[in-house]
Amino acid sequence: MEDLLAARWQMAVSLGFHIIFACIGMVMPFFMATSHYKYLKTKKIIYRDLTKAWSKGVAIFFVTGAVSGTVLSFELGLLWPKFMLHAGPIFGMPFSLEGTAFFIEAIALGFYLYGWNKFDPWFHWFTGVVVGVSGLASGILVVAANAWMNSPAGFDFVDGQYLNIDPIAAMFNDAWFSQALHMTLAAFVATGFAVAGIHAYLMLKGQQVEFHRKAFLIALVFGAVAAVLQPISGDISAKDIAVRQPAKLAAMEGHFETSKSAPLIIGGLPDVENKKVDYAIEIPGALSFLAHGDFEAEVIGLDQFPEEDQPPVVVTHIAFQIMVGLGMVLVGLSLLFFFSRWKKKEWLSTRWFLWLFVLGTPLGFIALEAGWTVTEVGRQPWIIYGVLRTADAVSPIPGIAYSLYLFIGIYLSLAVAVTFLLIRQIKAIPESLQKDSGIYGDSTKVGS
Amino acid sequence: MLYVVIIFLGLSILLYVLLGGADFGAGIVEITTPSRMQDRIRTTTYQTIGPIWEANHMWLIITIVILFVGFPSVYALLSTHLHIPLLLMLFGIIGRGTAFVFRHYDAVQDDMQRVYNLIFTVSSFVTPFFLGLIFGALVGGEIDRDAVGFLDAFVWPWLNGFAVSVGMFTVTICGFLAAVFLVGESENEREKAFLVRRSRMFILATVLAGGLVFLAAELQKVPLVGLLIGEWITLGILLLATVAMIMLWIQLPTAGRLPCRTLAGFVVTAILAAFGYHYFPDLVITSAGENLTLFNAAAIGKPIETLAWALLIGSIFILPSLGYLIYSFQKDKSLNAKTRA
Ligand code: HDD
Ligand code: HEM
Ligand code: HEM
């Protein structure tokens, strides 16, 4: 495999892996804090058990997030030294703040996971909230760094030199807000539906139904609210891109020729050679409306860009269709859920209703990975949009393909291990519920 | 403001070696523990580092962030020429962190524990070894920025006697820190006696490995003897470290845990300080002699200023809460110990 391609794949695999754990690390603390809050308020043991059961899972996800994140902070240099040479000082601000956020997160997590029965209950609860808030903060900060790659700011690019660097302006670049908002919501959608789906499945299996029902409700309320807001935030992103990165928008939409009153192309397979999209549904004028708020507006197509500046259309377009399609499915599921809470509470005990949510388990994460594919592949061939090409930034070391294979192997094994551990944890829930205490995370297996 | 950044860089490296080092060391001590003792050592290790291990490793992240924001050319050079050892270190980090948590959080205790233990101990050794090797390679003078061949550009810079010996030395230091640290946590006489013996073994190993570093330096013409001859300050610091080691050797069985830990921490701090003083302000020594220094490689101007402010503000949040975390669990531990006794 060619080195550049291998490097791009390695970056994609590492980020795609990390983001799953990062999302869980950002969102689960809020679920735990909610359940924990209910326990402190109602003193119902079931909520305490739920909190503890979740926190054991979180510890496993957390460490996987932490090691994969550590890998990433080296990988940026291992794969893209020429990018980091220039970008480091410019987009470093979010990373240096992120360091603090991680630190606080790690410290608060130490308190939270090991602090049962050791501290004032509300202090203990509060450390859990801190884990969530600092996790969200670090997510938003690192997205700001990514947004800078899409929308470079905070320096003057003169004759290949990066002058007048202003790290603060770089952090608050134009893409920052729309991406951070969309990403934060996505984390809640993906994690909420995944957790709810697993608990729906366990309810179907008929064990500890009350326990899983409580878990399902907490997770899904978060997930469903976020899912309903997601298209609105997605629309903000799209309008933003239409101005900032028209080539990306054109690739997302399979929009080859600049035109007024451009149609929205749904689905289909882009045929790059003949510059058209086969098998698609077209809605006249809709793209103009979505991109610029006016059915007549002109939307820039790929024809405005020289071939060497065009992003890969097929991948970007399909990934975008997947994200939006799944987003709509999730909105549907969310509305159904709200309706059932309002009018049809009994649905929660029916098999078809639970099965729907079981099927929804992976959808949020698939949409999330697809969304990142849109953002990152749609930025190509640039690593810093309009400034530095990905091909010019790659490491000179030969044989990157081998490290790619190694990483794929390691991440696969980790994924298997995490799944395996999680299944074992879940199997252990019924047993541990019967015993009152002592079995959970607060001490080691050797009774101390 | 550059000095603020430099101080934080030094501090993060120091804290990573001390805290992260003790943490890796726990795995290294585990390797050298006969199997009948291993369970106890494992429990002690877990109770001691459980709540703080993740925070310990954050110092590495801070170091890296300071490098790529503040000294980007060093980061770029490091990750190009030392690509391979960095990768190996990363594999170690992955294995170590996950195995440590998995072995504790696996709901079923079965044969999988052996797999976790194996990964944990092997990666506890591999990670500090490559970390030390990377440090060694940075100052070893074998990095040739214009090299073209694969071996010259990406292998010989780090695969040499000096870098390898610094790697070994780092491993022994970690073992030493952990052994001394665990003495204070041991809960019965047998365990304690065992850990005292281990600490002494690692003191010996550290001295031997240190000697090896000097030997390798001589063979490779790395001007390291300057540390001992000619520079009174570094000589003084190293002598003090030696005295502290001897005191530790004698006092370990009887002294309280705080004095022992302070001494061990002092030894390692002194060694790092001597190296730091000797090499200041060089960060990377290349074969062509155009070194990258803290001054000529710094991203001067706003990047350094904002980085300094971010670090200062961050430490206002981090240091007190980290201190409180360590304090809380230490207190808790001693309470537990008392109620059990
Ligand atoms: C649960 C996941 C999820 C769901 C349901 C959606 N998205 Fe999304 N989308 C993401 C998860 C995501 C993401 C993975 O989080 C991205 C990648 C980068 C980013 O900021 O968010 C993203 C990027 C992204 C972008 C590119 C932003 C950029 O490159 O700056 C656009 C235009 C949209 N989305 C639009 C939408 C629309 C119109 C949706 C309608 C339903 C939608 N997304 C649902
Ligand atoms: C975690 C969610 C993310 C995912 C799933 C993701 C996914 C991807 C993918 C698929 C690629 C390959 C694109 C291609 O070459 O065709 C890529 C490249 C890259 N990403 Fe991301 N990305 C994420 C976030 C980030 C963030 C936060 C940063 C930086 C701060 C970042 C930095 C990069 C870099 C440097 C490259 C390589 C250069 C390039 O291909 O343009 N990514 N990522
Ligand atoms: C959109 C992309 C990303 C998001 C939302 C994100 C978010 C997070 C979150 C919430 C954590 C906390 C740990 C956990 O929950 O498991 C984490 C860990 C980490 N991330 Fe990411 N991250 C992203 C991409 C990156 C990139 C590109 C880097 C490196 C340059 C990175 C570096 C790290 C590091 C070093 C950790 C470990 C922190 C620790 O030990 O606690 N992340 N990330």
Side-chain angles (χ1 to χ4, degrees), chain A residues 38-337:
Chain A
K38 293 194 172 188
Y39 165 61
L40 292 175
K41 280 287 171 194
T42 64
K43 296 280 177 276
K44 282 191 189 145
I45 295 295
I46 195 163
Y47 282 118
R48 188 202 60 188
D49 287 343
L50 176 58
T51 315
K52 286 194 174 183
W54 270 343
S55 71
K56 291 181 99 180
V58 163
I60 295 171
F61 280 96
F62 219 95
V63 66
T64 318
V67 293
S68 56
T70 309
V71 170
L72 275 173
S73 39
F74 285 91
E75 246 174 357
L76 283 177
L78 290 175
L79 299 174
W80 317 103
K82 288 167 219 156
F83 162 63
M84 290 306 284
L85 183 62
H86 303 296
I90 311 176
F91 82 164
M93 187 67 194
F95 286 108
S96 20
L97 294 175
E98 197 197 17
T100 305
F102 283 150
F103 230 123
I104 292 176
E105 195 182 6
I107 293 171
L109 192 74
F111 275 116
Y112 193 71
L113 290 183
Y114 297 82
W116 287 94
N117 308 328
K118 289 184 183 148
F119 303 104
D120 172 74
W122 284 104
F123 172 76
H124 182 223
W125 175 80
F126 175 71
T127 59
V129 177
V130 174
V131 177
V133 172
S134 45
L136 271 190
S138 55
I140 290 174
L141 287 165
V142 76
V143 169
N146 179 264
W148 176 85
M149 296 164 57
N150 285 322
S151 167
F155 65 101
D156 297 326
F157 190 59
V158 190
D159 298 335
Q161 303 255 42
Y162 300 71
L163 304 174
N164 300 325
I165 296 174
D166 179 352
I168 310 242
M171 182 163 128
F172 294 107
N173 56 72
D174 292 339
W176 169 73
F177 177 76
S178 63
Q179 274 197 242
L181 175 69
H182 199 58
M183 174 65 221
T184 309
L185 287 173
F188 277 94
V189 175
T191 314
F193 275 89
V195 172
I198 291 174
H199 288 286
Y201 178 73
L202 295 166
M203 272 154 85
L204 280 168
K205 285 186 61 181
Q207 285 161 345
Q208 305 294 339
V209 173
E210 195 44 38
F211 178 84
H212 294 301
R213 193 196 315 275
K214 295 227 160 17
F216 175 85
L217 286 176
I218 293 177
L220 200 54
V221 168
F222 278 100
V225 171
V228 174
L229 298 175
Q230 191 71 329
I232 305 173
S233 135
D235 184 50
I236 300 178
S237 294
K239 289 200 162 54
D240 212 37
I241 294 194
V243 182
R244 223 176 356 94
Q245 287 178 293
K248 184 190 275 182
L249 184 79
M252 276 156 53
E253 303 289 359
H255 184 55
F256 287 98
E257 266 150 63
T258 308
S259 59
K260 290 204 159 128
S261 173
L264 181 67
I265 299 176
I266 299 178
L269 187 68
D271 175 353
V272 183
E273 212 113 289
N274 300 310
K275 307 203 181 314
K276 62 185 176 51
V277 183
D278 299 329
Y279 322 113
I281 307 168
E282 295 196 13
I283 307 178
L287 179 58
S288 291
F289 178 72
L290 285 178
H292 298 290
D294 170 3
F295 283 99
E296 295 299 315
E298 183 178 86
V299 179
I300 297 176
L302 285 166
D303 56 351
Q304 297 284 310
F305 301 90
E307 202 142 318
E308 72 270 15
D309 286 355
Q310 293 180 9
V313 180
V314 181
V315 175
T316 316
H317 179 72
I318 293 180
F320 186 64
Q321 306 307 308
I322 293 177
M323 167 176 65
V324 177
L326 292 180
M328 291 308 167
V329 172
L330 292 170
V331 170
L333 281 177
S334 308
L335 294 178
L336 191 73
F337 170 68

Side-chain angles (χ1 to χ4, degrees), chain A residues 359-370:
Chain A
L359 293 178
T361 310
L363 300 189
F365 276 106
I366 299 176
L368 184 117
E369 300 281 2

Side-chain angles (χ1 to χ4, degrees), chain B residues 7-82:
Chain B
I7 290 170
F8 270 99
L9 180 63
L11 194 73
S12 331
I13 295 178
L14 173 66
L15 285 172
Y16 187 58
V17 172
L18 283 178
L19 300 169
D23 198 306
F24 288 125
I28 299 171
V29 172
E30 200 176 304
I31 306 181
T32 67
T33 306
S35 46
R36 64 195 153 77
M37 294 281 293
Q38 267 182 358
D39 251 1
R40 282 239 36 90
I41 297 292
R42 230 167 259 150
T43 311
T44 310
T45 304
Y46 182 75
Q47 287 175 345
T48 325
I49 62 180
I52 53 168
W53 82 267
E54 189 162 341
N56 290 345
H57 292 272
M58 289 308 302
W59 295 110
L60 178 64
I61 312 274
I62 305 274
T63 308
I64 276 302
V65 170
I66 295 181
L67 275 186
F68 76 58
V69 180
F71 308 92
S73 52
V74 174
Y75 177 77
L77 180 141
L78 170 92
S79 41
T80 307
H81 292 287
L82 306 180

Side-chain angles (χ1 to χ4, degrees), chain B residues 319-335:
Chain B
L319 293 177
S321 38
L322 186 60
Y324 186 58
L325 179 72
I326 296 173
Y327 164 80
S328 304
F329 285 98
Q330 281 299 319
K331 197 181 73 180
D332 181 65
K333 183 96 210 308
S334 41
L335 274 185

